Amino acid sequence: MSQQRNKVRIIAGDYRRRLLPFPDSEGLRPTPDRVRETLFNWLGQDMAGRRCLDLFAGSGALGFEAASRRARQVVMVEKSRKVADSLRQNKALLGAASIDVVGMDALMYLKTVHQAFDVIFLDPPYGSDLLIQVLPLLGGLLSEDGVIYFEARQWPGLEGFELLRRDKAGAVHYGLARRARASAETRSLSNDITG
């Protein structure tokens, strides 16, 4: 089934097959169905208990999909007021209590948030350098077994992260990564010594 113009289809879960509208906005392009299917095959179909951050929410395709699959919490961060309002309307339409919409710049949000997430979705506007800017800020926001998902035109430098999965759809590179094991093991060893 192809997506209708300015509508995103939820693939699976509680809100399966629901079509959600989103406004015209520069650089706004939902993650395609096929890519989302692959991503949630990587993550596991059931997101129950997981806390998710959709940092450049846009249409909300990733965040709504996670909520549909019973994520415990989904925080959607969106800078555009018009797009954030649309996300709130779609949250209300679905009755999705697990979703929080934050109307804020992504970099500003990262400076103010004090909680850990199990999955962080990163799909910034193409042609921007936002992915490169936010990656170094994410290590402290990931839970112990947390992962980041990202989409980009070109592979970003993943210093401090270990790539778990990768694929390409058309011009879009996408992948799943976690904190590099060495840093996690060093932290664990440090805790053993000090504890």
Side-chain angles (χ1 to χ4, degrees):
M1 235 188 270
S2 63
Q3 288 179 354
Q4 296 181 15
R5 179 170 159 72
N6 280 38
K7 288 197 175 176
V8 66
R9 179 178 66 95
I10 297 177
I11 299 166
D14 294 344
Y15 313 129
R16 184 178 181 195
R17 294 194 180 117
R18 297 289 293 271
L19 284 171
L20 301 177
F22 61 89
D24 279 321
S25 185
E26 188 178 345
L28 184 57
R29 39 157 199 80
T31 300
D33 287 10
R34 186 173 72 82
V35 173
R36 274 185 288 138
E37 281 177 18
T38 301
L39 167 60
F40 284 94
N41 284 337
W42 290 347
L43 292 173
Q45 297 298 321
D46 186 1
M47 299 289 288
R50 296 197 202 173
R51 294 182 185 275
C52 304
L53 172 61
D54 192 352
L55 192 57
F56 302 94
S59 70
L62 297 172
F64 285 120
E65 194 72 49
S68 182
R69 295 164 192 251
R70 303 187 177 181
R72 179 179 178 185
Q73 179 188 28
V74 178
V75 177
M76 295 181 171
V77 179
E78 175 53 53
K79 178 170 78 169
S80 162
R81 179 189 226 158
K82 176 173 72 171
V83 177
D85 285 346
S86 171
L87 292 171
R88 289 185 187 100
Q89 288 164 13
N90 285 332
K91 169 190 169 168
L93 183 71
L94 295 173
S98 64
I99 293 175
D100 298 314
V101 177
V102 178
M104 185 184 279
D105 175 78
L107 289 166
M108 188 64 69
Y109 176 79
L110 291 178
K111 291 175 184 172
T112 60
V113 67
H114 300 292
Q115 81 172 86
F117 295 94
D118 303 302
V119 182
I120 298 177
F121 300 112
L122 303 172
D123 182 13
Y126 273 18
S128 75
D129 64 352
L130 287 167
L131 188 59
I132 295 162
Q133 289 184 56
V134 302
L135 280 170
L137 306 175
L138 299 180
L141 294 184
L142 280 175
S143 63
E144 189 174 340
D145 296 318
V147 293
I148 58 167
Y149 166 78
F150 59 89
E151 293 181 25
R153 272 202 181 134
Q154 298 176 350
W155 285 106
L158 289 172
E159 189 175 332
F161 291 95
E162 172 187 357
L163 190 61
L164 301 172
R165 301 282 188 124
R166 66 185 286 175
D167 208 337
K168 188 177 179 194
V172 180
H173 294 271
Y174 60 100
L176 200 63
R178 68 179 173 206
R179 274 190 301 232
R181 283 287 184 201
S183 62
E185 286 166 9
T186 304
R187 214 171 21 255
S188 173
L189 183 60
S190 167
N191 289 341
D192 289 345
I193 292 168
T194 58

